[in-house]
Amino acid sequence: MADNKQLDIELSSEVAKGSYCNLSIITHSPNEFVLDFLKILPGFPKAVVTERIIMTPENAKRLRDALADNVGKFESHFGKIEIHNPEPQIPIGFNPSENRS
């Protein structure tokens, strides 16, 4: 994108509030990637999908690259992000393939 072009972005107050996520599930087909963002709360047997983002494989790769770049910038400023639990603790009985449409 040339430097002289600008993208006008609208952010509604509702979307600006954001959604909390402590688990994500990524699935894909030949044509799209589906990113489900979930919230799991202690003591509750059900995880709730708070957001679902569907994107093309090309845009998924762009997102991957942008995340890698931003994580690198974050770590150079704030220090290394430690992964304390490489295997997320998914509650027993949680099946991400159920109720997916």
Side-chain angles (χ1 to χ4, degrees), residues 27-89:
T27 54
H28 59 86
S29 72
N31 299 313
E32 67 262 330
F33 276 72
V34 178
L35 293 78
D36 285 334
F37 297 94
L38 299 92
K39 177 171 44 176
I40 299 177
L41 298 175
F44 288 88
K46 188 179 266 189
V48 177
V49 175
T50 59
E51 302 292 331
R52 171 173 277 186
I53 306 298
I54 303 167
M55 57 178 40
T56 65
E58 182 179 357
N59 285 332
K61 194 167 186 175
R62 285 186 177 125
L63 175 62
R64 180 203 63 184
D65 294 346
L67 280 171
D69 180 57
N70 278 270
V71 167
K73 289 174 182 174
F74 178 95
E75 288 182 328
S76 69
H77 189 262
F78 296 106
K80 184 169 174 51
I81 299 170
E82 299 294 332
I83 305 293
H84 299 288
N85 187 3
E87 294 294 323
Q89 299 298 311

Side-chain angles (χ1 to χ4, degrees), residues 5 8 17 20 23 26 35 43 58 60-61 65 68 72-73 78-79 85 97-98:
K5 293 184 181 180
D8 187 18
K17 292 176 186 178
Y20 179 73
L23 177 66
I26 301 170
L35 293 78
E58 182 179 357
K61 194 167 186 175
D65 294 346
K73 289 174 182 174
F78 296 106
N85 187 3
S97 65
E98 288 181 0

